[in-house]
């Protein structure tokens, strides 16, 4: 008798968590697309195989292994270079509508430009794309996810004024070889994060410490490169291929304890607007608040011109409107108030932005130092984007939860479900034009400076087995069910 009632309670708990959904109403529109994301350097391995050239991360991890928390590198990573079939099997198991992956620039162009063209690299991605299409999984391609060709770094990398030309040429190769099957392109992933760590603070490859100047030059070149790639596609490929071009930027959401909307807006302009305002806003150019602050700080520092490059009228017009959808990567939020100016000796994006950030004690903490679970922040961001950029079409191109790689990943299940609930609310209650969501990540992978010590996968990857065995985590079944039903389980009421 006792056993039976315990069983009943257990069944009830199970149904509450996983089964209980409103009878007739879906949480997502029929056309809504679900996917998973990865990036080449983080999963592929095969770093020097079949003619691939070195990227800044190959050289950076080889010359400075001490910067990676566990001393590892991406030489083998999850070895997706040799396990495409297994990866496809996993995507099928999950039932996703699309797969967002990135192309390794140096697998295609080992020197970074057309002086080298690697047939075997093209063959690798052709194989992957063909298999995706054969399984009705749409390929969604990021052209650049932090892995700059080392040869381009040698000539100044992302701060070389010719960089946009190099990028356009690379994009042209991608459209020519893969554009018959790839209909979703993202030019860049997270320009602000990349430029601040790589050319501002200099804590990541290529370790350029030019704080206050380098990060702004880097972003300036990225948005120009993005615009060139967009115009090239519209001019030479769109008519035949009919795809869409976007860019993915990351941002936290900013709450104000005093409900000061100016502070929320300031935070979002400095994080998201820096990249997206020139492309998606009606007026074009950098956000006014950044132009004003950085010009005035630069003047106080005794400079003759602003550290934020000036976009002239024709460049502004060239960049404005160069995207068909908006890619948003969201992981966490902060409370914010206006911070103190740290003085003219310390120019940096941080000192220009003056975002004095804090967290709420109720927010759940993940394995990464920066990770606090704040699903409402995603809702706030989606509503802000709707207002700021005229209800542009949005795809959440990344969202995920770091842990230690456990198979019983309840933290990930809760994070996934609650973030998706915010997406559903944004669409249904606020009319936000969100058309897709992609979870980071399909499998555990090389988490940059954290190496393999922080895991984001729906599949666990055994990094010490030669086969890099993949094992489904509990979250996999939950996401699969959401994708199948387009419904979310009710909030956990029972615990
Ligand atoms: C992303 N934040 O970076 C990158 O696109 C991925 O390559 C990476 O593996 C993933 O997120 C997990 O870190 C971010 O603090 C890291 O808000 C941190 C933040 C945002 C994005």
């Amino acid at each position: 008798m006792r056993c039976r009632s315990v069983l009943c309670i257990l069944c009830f708990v199970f149904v509450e968590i996983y089964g209980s959904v409103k009878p007739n109403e879906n949480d997502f529109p029929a056309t809504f697309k679900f996917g998973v994301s990865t990036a080449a350097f983080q999963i592929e391995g095969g770093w020097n195989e079949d003619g691939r050239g070195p990227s800044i991360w190959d050289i950076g991890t080889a010359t400075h292994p001490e910067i990676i928390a566990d001393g590892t590198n991406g030489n083998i990573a999850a070895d997706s270079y040799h396990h495409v079939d297994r990866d496809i099997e996993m995507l099928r198991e999950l039932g996703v509508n699309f797969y967002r992956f990135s192309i390794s620039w140096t697998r295609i162009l080992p020197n970074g430009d057309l002086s080298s063209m690697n047939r075997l690299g093209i063959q690798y991605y052709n194989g992957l794309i063909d298999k995706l299409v054969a399984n009705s999984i749409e390929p969604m391609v990021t052209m650049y996810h932090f892995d700059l060709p080392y040869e381009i770094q040698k000539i100044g990398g992302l701060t070389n004024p010719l960089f946009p030309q190099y990028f356009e040429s690379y994009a042209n190769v991608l459209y020519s070889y893969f554009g018959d099957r790839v209909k979703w392109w993202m030019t860049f992933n997270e320009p602000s994060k990349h430029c601040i760590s790589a050319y501002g603070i200099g804590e990541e490859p290529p370790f350029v410490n030019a704080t206050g100047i380098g990060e702004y030059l880097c972003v300036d070149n990225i948005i120009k490169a993005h615009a060139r790639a967009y115009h090239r596609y519209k001019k030479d490929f769109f008519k035949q291929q009919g795809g869409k071009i976007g860019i993915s930027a990351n941002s936290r959401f900013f709450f104000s304890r005093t409900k000061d909307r100016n502070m929320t807006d300031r935070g979002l302009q400095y994080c998201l607007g820096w990249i997206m305002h020139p492309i998606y806003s009606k007026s074009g150019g950098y956000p006014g608040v950044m132009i004003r602050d950085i010009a005035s700080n630069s003047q106080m520092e005794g400079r003759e011109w602003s550290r934020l490059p000036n976009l002239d009228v024709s460049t502004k017009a060239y960049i404005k409107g160069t995207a068909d959808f908006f890619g948003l990567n969201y992981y966490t939020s902060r409370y914010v108030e206006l911070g103190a100016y740290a003085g003219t000796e310390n120019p940096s994006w941080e000192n220009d932005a003056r975002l004095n950030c804090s967290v709420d004690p109720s927010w759940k903490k993940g394995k990464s130092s920066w990770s606090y679970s704040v699903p409402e922040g995603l809702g706030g961001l989606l509503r802000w984007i709707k207002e700021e950029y005229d209800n542009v079409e949005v795809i959440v191109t990344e969202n995920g939860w770091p842990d230690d790689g456990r198979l019983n990943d309840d933290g990930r299940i809760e994070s996934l479900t609650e973030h998706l609930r915010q997406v559903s609310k944004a669409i249904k209650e606020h009319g936000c034009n969100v058309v897709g969501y992609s979870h980071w990540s399909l499998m555990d992978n090389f988490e940059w400076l954290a190496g393999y010590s922080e895991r984001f996968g729906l599949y666990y990857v055994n990094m010490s087995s030669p086969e890099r065995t993949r094992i489904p985590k509990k979250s996999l079944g939950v996401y699969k069910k959401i994708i199948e039903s387009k419904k979310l389980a009710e909030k956990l009421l029972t615990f």
Side-chain angles (χ1 to χ4, degrees):
M1 195 57 206
R2 235 185 116 210
C3 260
R4 263 182 69 187
S5 42
V6 170
L7 199 69
C8 275
I9 292 171
L10 281 178
C11 283
F12 177 71
V13 169
F14 185 79
V15 167
E16 274 301 314
I17 300 171
Y18 299 115
S20 164
V21 284
K22 288 160 241 136
N24 294 315
E25 203 185 335
N26 285 351
D27 288 306
F28 297 93
T31 51
F32 192 83
K33 292 173 193 288
F34 290 96
V36 276
S37 296
T38 60
F41 190 81
Q42 294 179 273
I43 63 164
E44 278 180 12
W47 74 285
N48 60 357
E49 275 179 68
D50 294 343
R52 181 181 177 278
S55 76
I56 52 174
W57 273 90
D58 297 294
I59 302 298
T61 48
T63 51
H64 291 283
E66 74 283 357
I67 63 160
I68 309 298
D70 55 4
T72 57
N73 54 49
N75 291 0
I76 303 177
D79 206 16
S80 284
Y81 191 64
H82 297 109
H83 295 291
V84 170
D85 287 335
R86 174 69 179 123
D87 291 355
I88 297 279
E89 201 176 275
M90 285 148 51
L91 293 162
R92 282 175 51 131
E93 167 67 22
L94 194 50
V96 282
N97 308 109
F98 67 87
Y99 178 41
R100 175 181 180 253
F101 61 95
S102 84
I103 288 184
S104 156
W105 187 335
T106 55
R107 223 181 262 298
I108 307 283
L109 303 174
N111 297 338
D113 69 8
L114 299 182
S115 66
S116 58
M117 177 90 81
N118 184 24
R119 199 175 42 80
L120 293 175
I122 292 169
Q123 199 174 302
Y124 170 71
Y125 292 109
N126 265 335
L128 170 62
I129 294 166
D130 280 345
K131 285 174 185 165
L132 289 170
V133 172
N135 286 288
S136 308
I137 301 165
E138 285 186 80
M140 198 179 267
V141 172
T142 312
M143 301 179 189
Y144 180 89
H145 197 125
F146 308 165
D147 49 355
L148 186 74
Y150 184 60
E151 292 301 317
I152 297 188
Q153 181 48 39
K154 282 189 190 162
I155 51 165
L158 281 156
T159 57
N160 180 335
L162 289 183
F163 174 78
Q165 248 166 271
Y166 279 83
F167 184 76
E168 179 184 343
S169 183
Y170 163 58
N172 183 53
V173 172
L174 301 187
Y175 302 145
S176 312
Y177 283 96
F178 309 126
D180 55 337
R181 290 151 293 156
V182 174
K183 303 300 165 195
W184 295 90
W185 297 98
M186 276 136 302
T187 52
F188 289 88
N189 182 66
E190 301 186 351
S192 61
K193 178 184 184 277
H194 185 46
C195 290
I196 291 173
S197 1
Y199 294 91
I201 304 169
E203 63 182 355
E204 290 187 4
F207 311 115
V208 177
N209 175 249
T211 164
I213 298 175
E215 64 270 54
Y216 294 126
L217 284 181
C218 171
V219 164
D220 200 63
N221 260 340
I222 284 185
I223 57 179
K224 287 173 181 161
H226 162 85
R228 285 185 83 123
Y230 181 87
H231 287 299
R232 183 69 167 253
Y233 188 75
K234 288 285 156 166
K235 183 164 79 65
D236 294 341
F237 298 92
F238 178 71
K239 234 171 130 191
Q240 266 210 319
Q241 302 183 349
K244 290 191 180 199
I245 315 262
I247 179 168
S248 290
N250 61 299
S251 188
R252 296 168 178 189
F253 187 70
F254 295 97
F255 297 96
S256 160
R257 288 203 166 83
T258 57
K259 306 265 176 292
D260 179 354
R261 292 181 69 150
N262 286 334
M263 273 320 291
T264 297
D265 200 66
R266 180 183 179 83
L268 293 174
Q269 293 296 359
Y270 263 92
C271 289
L272 206 53
W274 179 18
I275 319 300
M276 300 312 224
H277 197 276
I279 300 171
Y280 296 89
S281 72
K282 280 212 176 80
S283 53
Y286 291 115
V289 62
M290 291 186 73
I291 297 175
R292 286 190 298 276
D293 289 352
I294 301 168
S296 123
N297 293 348
S298 302
Q299 201 179 28
M300 282 195 287
E301 291 151 15
R303 299 175 201 271
E304 206 175 325
W305 56 83
S306 177
R307 288 182 277 100
L308 182 71
N310 176 46
L311 291 173
D312 61 36
V313 176
S314 64
T315 314
K316 248 172 34 181
Y318 182 75
I319 296 170
K320 197 172 76 143
T322 55
D324 305 311
F325 69 96
F326 187 111
L328 174 69
N329 293 358
Y330 174 77
Y331 286 89
T332 189
S333 288
R334 292 291 183 268
Y335 273 94
V336 68
E337 53 192 358
L338 192 62
Y341 176 63
T344 56
E345 300 301 302
N346 303 292
S348 67
W349 171 87
E350 210 182 343
N351 194 26
D352 292 327
R354 293 165 64 193
L355 306 175
N356 190 0
C357 289
S358 55
V359 298
D360 193 277
S362 70
W363 293 346
K364 259 186 213 141
K365 172 93 175 53
K367 180 96 166 62
S368 312
S369 57
W370 48 265
S371 60
Y372 292 86
S373 179
V374 196
E376 321 77 87
L378 177 54
L381 257 174
L382 292 171
R383 294 198 296 278
W384 189 84
I385 291 168
K386 176 189 175 202
E387 296 308 321
E388 185 74 10
Y389 305 121
D390 201 17
N391 210 10
V392 57
E393 181 172 297
V394 175
I395 296 183
V396 178
T397 41
E398 278 181 35
N399 169 240
W401 183 246
D403 62 18
D404 54 7
R406 64 191 65 194
L407 295 180
N408 269 334
D409 54 343
D410 292 320
R412 179 162 300 103
I413 293 173
E414 184 179 334
S415 168
L416 171 69
T417 310
E418 294 314 314
H419 283 86
L420 276 171
R421 198 182 311 284
Q422 289 291 326
V423 174
S424 166
K425 254 176 100 169
I427 301 170
K428 290 173 89 164
E429 293 174 23
H430 301 281
C432 297
N433 189 9
V434 191
V435 301
Y437 169 93
S438 190
H439 195 72
W440 183 272
S441 176
L442 172 61
M443 65 191 116
D444 291 343
N445 56 54
F446 180 73
E447 177 53 22
W448 309 113
L449 295 182
Y452 301 104
S453 66
E454 295 168 13
R455 306 293 188 106
F456 284 80
L458 296 165
Y459 278 86
Y460 168 80
V461 180
N462 181 347
M463 296 294 173
S464 40
S465 79
E467 305 77 30
R468 295 298 190 270
T469 316
R470 286 110 157 94
I471 304 169
K473 299 181 189 173
K474 193 168 157 192
S475 55
L476 181 97
V478 173
Y479 193 31
K480 180 183 166 73
K481 206 158 172 201
I482 295 172
I483 297 172
E484 254 167 31
S485 64
K486 295 202 189 301
K487 289 181 187 184
L488 298 166
E490 291 290 318
K491 212 174 169 61
L492 313 186
L493 300 170
T494 334
F495 292 115

